[in-house]
Amino acid sequence: MGTELWLQRKALLIADEMGIGKTLQALAGFTQSETLPAAVIVKVGIIPQWVREAERCLPGIRVHTLKTRKVAPLPPADIYITSYTRLNAWAETLAKIVSSVVFDEIHELRHRDTGKYAGARHLTSTLAGKGGYRLGLSGSPIFNYGDEMYSAIDLLDEGVLGTFEEFSREWCENSTGHLKVRDTVAFGRLLLDQGLMLRRTKKDVAIELPKRTRI
């Protein structure tokens, strides 16, 4: 369901509970030729995990990892994987060649005044301009702060929540230096109803999960 909604909307935040398979939903999107080449942005420590999962789930897929900030010509590949710490250096290069981007643990981009956010913005804005696909993955996307949620949603689908000033005025109140959403239930319903976010718990998808194996 997450993959289908992403491909339909082109911009989506999948906020499923851990264990439901956010990574697999992203990889399933890469079975469609229009999403390739793709960029996947992750924390440094889980790059090997993404490489393994991509090669396991998509036999024959060409994966290339960007291991330094030094920009150089890239070899042909279906998926380019790099870290948030290297994103700003590679954003312009990737924006020219990829058709989709996946931000794993997108709450890494909750602050809009950082270099990595600037790189991410360049990448998503370029993709949106040419009809590309943008996906965020996070089981805990906002840490209860509206300004952080705005950062993630506006990055994926710029302007969909209005300007930051409009969003702040309509949905938030000041709280210890952050903007806190006044009515989290109503805001969550807005995101779900408009197809901006997909959020499911293990209980929601229990019928689809295999039986638990105790080891």
Side-chain angles (χ1 to χ4, degrees), residues 177-196:
H178 284 278
L179 292 175
K180 190 173 183 179
V181 175
R182 284 190 295 268
D183 189 338
T184 56
V185 174
F187 182 59
R189 179 51 55 189
L190 171 74
L191 297 179
L192 295 170
D193 289 347
Q194 293 195 6
L196 301 173

Side-chain angles (χ1 to χ4, degrees), residues 58-69:
L58 303 169
I61 201 80
R62 298 173 300 172
V63 181
H64 180 74
T65 59
L66 312 181
K67 299 177 180 179
T68 71
R69 294 185 181 89

Side-chain angles (χ1 to χ4, degrees), residues 4 30 162 209:
E4 293 174 354
F30 298 156
L209 296 174

Side-chain angles (χ1 to χ4, degrees), residues 35-39 80 93-101 123 127 130:
T35 65
L36 300 177
Y80 296 96
T93 300
L94 289 172
K96 294 176 182 177
I97 61 176
V98 300
S99 298
S100 65
V101 62
L123 189 49
L127 281 171
K130 59 183 181 181

Side-chain angles (χ1 to χ4, degrees), residues 115-184:
K116 59 185 175 182
Y117 192 92
R121 171 65 78 188
H122 178 76
L123 189 49
T124 56
S125 295
T126 303
L127 281 171
K130 59 183 181 181
Y133 298 81
R134 295 90 65 200
L135 179 65
L137 307 176
S138 177
S140 53
I142 59 171
F143 297 103
N144 296 322
Y145 293 123
D147 47 352
E148 295 178 354
M149 184 54 130
Y150 181 88
S151 297
I153 295 296
D154 192 68
L155 180 66
L156 298 172
D157 198 347
E158 189 170 0
V160 72
L161 294 177
T163 66
F164 183 68
E165 290 72 22
E166 291 169 339
F167 170 78
S168 303
R169 184 170 58 251
E170 181 174 354
W171 287 101
C172 301
E173 59 188 19
N174 286 316
S175 176
T176 62
H178 284 278
L179 292 175
K180 190 173 183 179
V181 175
R182 284 190 295 268
D183 189 338
T184 56

